[in-house]
């Protein structure tokens, strides 16, 4: 499989180069040059296969020419060494719990797959690889934990000061070793811009072997398509059309769903569920894409004003994406009342992001019949314990993995949003 840049269809690179470069030299996003479909008998027997077996089949179809099958199998099994249970919350409504990995959020899938794949490609490299990543919360912890202690790699996490939860912050500021956290006086968009600028800087590129691990890296995106196949195979048994509601920020997760559909997965509709950072829902209804600066909400991992995967969505579906995706946005107040309502009626604790996925699905189901819906529960409610406890008026249990992080001591380097400060720092460590 070769990959092209969304800014230049003529540019083609190998999987290895796409993963190591992260972003194309022209600042475009890498996309597979063809999207292979899976044979129909795979869809027929999928319900009897394990999640790992399904994931390996999908991965081999996409990447089987680039990575030897035994290596790919090992990578898949290492990535998915935890459950992704489907929990029925209401009639025709299922939560796909993607938070049973080490950092209790769905980004573990992408980060673990990418760190393994990069480890495979990097084994022949002489220089240390520096992974530069901007985070609004969960990316940082998933990437830091995915690469923690991996020889030949160093991770630098940029995050907006005061705009991530305590628990999230602890997960990437307490590790030490090959993980460094940089606290930026600015927004997530500033962090993302700083990372993009660093990749464009020719001096830095010469001195450091830089790569990214944001959702823009194609190795983060691909494994996120696996769980759509898995979830579909489990609920499709009911003979109804299947829809997925995806709580979205940078839209990597939803783009991975679109990729699964293009590989042949018969999903009826995707629901782009957002908080008030609603540029994509607005595009879907009004037809104009107008990025803005992000606004802070209680579902802060989705506070994105200029979603980086939008160009990939355009590549996959162009204007016809309006027929594939319904977009809805919700306020913090609606999010809190959903958390309360679902706890009271179903005894199920939503996190603020999953709550938005749930709300999107409810909205869609109120307008359509004979449909079974899956919303992606992207984080454990304990990761947003302040919001959830305050909303429910009761204590919730913090999982042991999180308790351990909370005991660690935060270490970070504080910087302004001026690129020169970051550049000086990166040059000082090279
Ligand atoms: C990152 C994140 C999202 C948004 O995912 P995108 O792929 O950026 O759309 C949603 N929920 C949680 C908990 C996240 O960490």
């Amino acid at each position: 499989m070769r990959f092209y840049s969304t800014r230049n269809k003529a540019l083609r690179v190998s999987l290895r180069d796409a993963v190591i470069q992260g972003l194309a030299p022209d600042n475009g996003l890498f996309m597979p040059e063809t999207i292979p479909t899976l044979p129909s008998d795979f869809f027929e027997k999928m319900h009897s296969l394990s999640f790992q077996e399904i994931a390996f089949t999908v991965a081999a179809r996409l990447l089987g020419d680039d990575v030897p099958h035994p290596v790919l199998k090992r990578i898949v099994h290492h990535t998915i060494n935890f459950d992704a249970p489907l929990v029925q919350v209401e009639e025709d409504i299922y939560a796909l719990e993607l938070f049973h990995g080490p950092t209790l959020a769905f980004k573990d899938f992408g980060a673990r797959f990418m760190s393994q794949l990069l480890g495979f490609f990097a084994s022949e490299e002489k220089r240390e690889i520096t992974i530069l990543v901007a985070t609004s919360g969960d990316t940082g912890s998933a990437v830091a934990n995915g690469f923690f202690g991996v020889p030949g790699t160093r991770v630098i996490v940029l995050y907006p000061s005061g705009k991530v939860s305590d628990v999230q912050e602890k997960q990437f500021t307490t590790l030490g070793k090959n993980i460094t956290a940089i606290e930026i006086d600015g927004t997530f968009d500033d962090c993302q811009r700083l990372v993009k600028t660093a990749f464009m800087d020719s001096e830095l590129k010469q001195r450091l072997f830089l790569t990214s691990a944001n959702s823009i890296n194609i190795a983060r995106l691909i494994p996120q398509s696996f769980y759509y196949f898995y979830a579909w195979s489990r609920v499709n048994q009911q003979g109804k059309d299947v829809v997925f509601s995806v709580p979205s920020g940078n839209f990597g997760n939803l783009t991975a769903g679109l990729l699964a559909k293009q590989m042949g997965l018969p999903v009826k509709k995707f629901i782009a569920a957002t908080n008030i950072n609603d540029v994509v829902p607005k595009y879907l209804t009004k037809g104009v894409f107008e990025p803005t600066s992000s606004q802070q909400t209680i579902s802060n991992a989705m506070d994105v004003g200029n979603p980086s995967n939008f160009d990939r969505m355009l590549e996959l579906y162009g204007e016809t994406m309006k027929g594939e995706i319904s977009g809805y946005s919700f306020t913090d107040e609606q999010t809190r009342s959903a958390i309360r309502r679902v706890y009271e009626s179903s005894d199920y604790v939503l996190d603020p992001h999953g709550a938005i996925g749930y709300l999107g699905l409810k909205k869609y189901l109120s307008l359509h019949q004979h449909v079974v819906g899956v919303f992606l529960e992207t984080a454990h409610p304990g990761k947003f314990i302040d919001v959830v406890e305050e909303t429910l008026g009761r204590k919730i249990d913090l999982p042991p993995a999180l308790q351990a992080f909370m005991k660690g001591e935060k270490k970070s380097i504080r910087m302004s949003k001026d690129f020169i400060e970051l550049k000086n720092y990166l040059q000082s460590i090279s």
Side-chain angles (χ1 to χ4, degrees):
M1 175 69 69
R2 293 177 72 75
F3 295 81
Y4 68 89
S5 161
T6 50
R7 300 231 172 135
N8 176 8
K9 295 242 163 90
L11 185 132
R12 297 286 151 110
V13 303
S14 64
L15 173 67
R16 179 191 174 283
D17 288 349
V19 174
I20 289 176
Q21 289 173 22
L23 202 61
D26 59 6
N27 224 10
L29 307 178
F30 286 118
M31 285 294 281
E33 67 178 356
T34 55
I35 296 175
T37 52
L38 287 144
S40 55
D41 68 322
F42 170 65
F43 294 103
E44 283 153 25
K45 68 173 189 209
M46 206 167 26
H47 65 274
S48 63
L49 301 177
S50 71
F51 185 13
Q52 283 90 345
E53 287 167 330
I54 292 170
F56 173 68
T57 307
V58 176
R61 194 79 186 90
L62 267 172
L63 310 176
D65 294 338
D66 308 270
V67 185
H69 279 204
V71 176
L72 198 54
K73 188 163 267 178
R74 184 170 50 71
I75 291 175
V76 165
H77 282 251
H78 196 94
T79 302
I80 308 169
N81 63 352
F82 48 86
D83 288 341
L86 264 173
V87 179
Q88 182 162 19
V89 175
E90 288 170 23
E91 195 184 344
D92 292 331
I93 295 187
Y94 292 81
L96 176 62
E97 293 187 346
L98 299 174
F99 56 71
H100 295 272
T103 70
L104 308 171
F106 84 97
K107 289 188 176 73
D108 281 326
F109 285 92
R112 290 171 73 77
F113 189 82
M114 178 183 164
S115 64
Q116 292 299 306
L117 199 56
L118 201 56
F120 167 66
F121 288 128
S123 52
E124 292 136 35
E125 299 289 340
K126 303 261 176 335
R127 285 196 293 171
E128 182 176 70
I129 296 187
T130 301
I131 295 113
L132 201 55
V133 57
T135 187
S136 57
D138 283 341
T139 294
S141 50
V143 170
N145 283 275
F147 282 95
F148 181 56
V150 173
T153 69
R154 169 168 51 196
V155 175
I156 296 173
V157 179
L158 272 69
Y159 72 102
S161 182
K163 295 195 175 68
V164 304
S165 76
D166 284 354
V167 187
Q168 287 174 325
E169 191 175 31
K170 288 276 186 182
Q171 287 186 308
F172 52 80
T173 57
T174 60
L175 290 165
K177 273 197 183 168
N178 61 331
I179 313 296
T180 305
I182 296 184
E183 195 171 349
I184 300 291
D185 286 317
T187 62
F188 170 64
D189 291 335
D190 291 321
C191 297
Q192 217 166 11
R193 179 181 47 77
L194 286 168
V195 169
K196 283 187 181 168
T197 311
F199 282 113
M200 305 272 279
D201 190 286
S202 50
E203 273 175 1
L204 282 181
K205 263 201 267 190
Q206 268 187 356
R207 290 180 67 154
L208 288 165
F209 187 0
L210 272 185
T211 183
S212 97
N214 274 68
S215 55
I216 52 176
N217 196 301
I218 193 72
R220 290 271 315 273
L221 198 77
I222 287 168
Q224 291 175 7
S225 66
F226 302 160
Y227 42 73
Y228 290 93
F229 286 89
Y230 167 69
W232 180 90
S233 74
R234 273 28 183 197
V235 296
N236 175 54
Q237 295 299 302
Q238 304 178 11
K240 293 180 182 170
D241 287 331
V242 179
V243 303
F244 283 98
S245 179
V246 189
S248 295
N250 259 321
F251 283 82
N253 218 357
L254 194 133
T255 303
L258 297 178
L259 181 67
K261 184 163 184 179
Q262 292 220 333
M263 291 185 79
L265 188 70
V267 176
K268 165 130 170 109
K269 190 77 89 177
F270 290 95
I271 297 149
T274 71
N275 57 33
I276 55 169
N277 294 282
D278 60 352
V279 278
V280 171
K282 270 201 184 126
Y283 166 80
L284 293 167
T285 51
K286 292 189 186 149
V288 201
F289 184 68
E290 286 178 319
T292 60
S293 49
S294 58
Q295 302 182 65
Q296 215 175 324
T297 72
I298 57 169
S299 47
N300 64 17
M302 313 198 307
D303 294 352
V304 181
N306 188 7
S308 49
N309 280 290
F310 186 71
D311 285 346
R312 282 195 172 119
M313 294 164 72
L314 278 178
E315 285 299 309
L316 288 171
Y317 279 102
E319 293 279 307
T320 63
M321 86 165 86
K322 288 176 201 144
E324 300 293 333
I325 313 168
S326 297
Y328 307 114
S329 68
F330 303 94
T331 63
D332 280 355
E333 209 28 64
Q334 290 171 306
T335 308
R336 284 186 197 273
S337 91
I339 293 173
R340 253 178 249 124
R341 210 154 10 98
V342 171
Y343 178 65
E344 279 158 19
S345 62
S346 308
D347 203 22
Y348 188 81
V349 182
L350 293 165
D351 97 290
H353 306 78
I356 284 183
Y358 167 86
L359 282 168
L361 186 53
K362 279 297 258 193
K363 178 111 186 181
Y364 183 86
L365 291 178
S366 72
L367 305 167
H368 300 85
Q369 284 169 354
H370 304 296
V371 178
V372 55
V374 176
F375 69 95
L376 307 195
E377 223 330 343
T378 47
H380 188 287
K383 288 198 89 161
F384 301 92
I385 194 156
D386 296 350
V387 173
V388 175
E389 287 188 342
E390 185 198 300
T391 302
L392 293 179
R394 66 176 278 269
K395 291 268 170 216
I396 59 165
D397 293 333
L398 210 55
L402 276 187
Q403 288 175 20
F405 277 116
M406 294 309 283
K407 293 201 187 96
E409 188 199 338
K410 168 182 159 179
K411 287 207 181 78
S412 70
I413 302 170
R414 191 137 185 179
M415 282 184 200
S416 76
K417 59 187 178 188
D418 288 336
F419 177 65
I420 190 68
E421 211 174 326
L422 177 67
K423 181 169 174 172
N424 287 341
Y425 171 75
L426 291 174
Q427 284 179 319
S428 77
I429 61 167
S430 65

